[in-house]
Amino acid sequence: MNPIPYGRQDIDQDDIEAVLSTLQSDYLTQGPKVKEFETKFADYVGSSYAVAVNNATSGLHLSVLALNLKKGDRVITTPITFAASANCIRFVGGEVWFADINPDTYLLDINSVKELIESKPKGFFKGIIPVDFAGLPVNMQEFRELADAHDLWIIEDACHAPGGFFTDTKNQKNFCGNGNYSDIGVFSFHPVKHIACGEGGMVTTNSKELYEKLILLRTHGITKETMEENHGGWYYEMIELGFNYRLTDFQSALGITQLAKNKKGVERRNEISSAYKKAFEGEIKFQSLPKNSYNAHHLFIIEVENRKELYDYLKLNNIFSQIHYIPVHLLPYYKNIGYEGANLIHSENYYANCISLPMYPSLTSDEQNFVIGQVLKFISNGK
Ligand SMILES: Cc1ncc(COP(=O)(O)O)c(C=O)c1O
């Protein structure tokens, strides 16, 4: 059996041709493909606007800036995520407050968030950053109600979840990042994610005001709008301190062909997940699926007691599993600024046992059966 990674990109001939054709065009960056990708992505998730960026970390940074987060402002997020979900708060000097996860869904637990908010005076927090962890959509309708009651904004970190959705109480399907209940959604196009651009990201919103701020800050805070007539064609003004967080045209061309395959890819990911669940049901704990949710399955995670031994055993058998994630509050940077003693028991228990098994559309049934066989063999030997 060839090495089996936990995740991998699928690049087909049409992806290669799309990139080649853009490389041979007049535009390498900021040409027509960026706009086309943004329009198609917004259409796919159902948001009014989409802004392509060079990676999701930049997208998160732009999002907190657009929402006017300032030094000392406090924002709640989950410790079970990639560090960038929390780091964006630190980028502007904000304070990260972690709430615990639900031990079954592994998502930020709304009750834990509510408890934290209610333990502080009104106005203490500015926003919440829930994460559609592993591809499972957060019920954003519930978070919106809580956020509205306390005057908070919501950035949905949907990096794991393009194509995931939940059905709300109005029986309406809400694709992750559609902006019906969150202010901003952020996606990543790193190769282990659903849509591979090398590096890349997308920020979605339904607010014209936020969209305009995001566009401005993505390109140095520079605008040319409505100035040509008064000054001449060359004229521009820098009106904010912005960044260069742009995505190139050839990456956007790749994003467009990758996006076209995402629906099928997510369906295949769900087939793989069903086969894992069928094999492990009653034997091994895995991420639960709330009613009315469709998991985009960036990851398939199980929990076992002797996780390190399983990780090493799979590696010996050429299966390269991964751990998602070391809780953010236990990373040295966060420990050093005082988070070590945080009371996040579900997150820490989860981390002690979690392991992500191979999950990507081109994983073959033979490969998956081999993975399942090895996991079950390890478990039965341990009993
Ligand atoms: C949940 C989450 N948020 C943010 C990011 C940052 O994405 P990027 O690598 O595109 O900056 C990642 C990437 O791993 C992620 O998994």
Side-chain angles (χ1 to χ4, degrees), residues 43-61:
D43 198 43
Y44 179 69
V45 302
S47 66
S48 306
Y49 306 99
V51 178
V53 285
N54 58 347
N55 57 60
T57 305
S58 304
L60 286 163
H61 188 192

Side-chain angles (χ1 to χ4, degrees), residues 53 57-67 214 217-218 243 245:
V53 285
T57 305
S58 304
L60 286 163
H61 188 192
L62 292 185
S63 301
V64 295
L65 288 169
L67 287 160
L214 290 162
L217 292 168
R218 177 182 66 177
F243 302 85
Y245 283 168

Side-chain angles (χ1 to χ4, degrees), residues 54-60 80-85 131-134 157-160 186-190 192-193 199-201 298 324-325:
N54 58 347
N55 57 60
T57 305
S58 304
L60 286 163
I80 299 302
T81 184
F82 183 63
S85 317
V131 179
D132 300 316
F133 177 65
D157 182 335
C159 285
H160 294 184
V186 180
F187 294 85
S188 169
F189 305 138
H190 181 278
V192 294
K193 305 291 195 312
E199 297 280 354
H298 164 47
H324 296 93
Y325 290 93

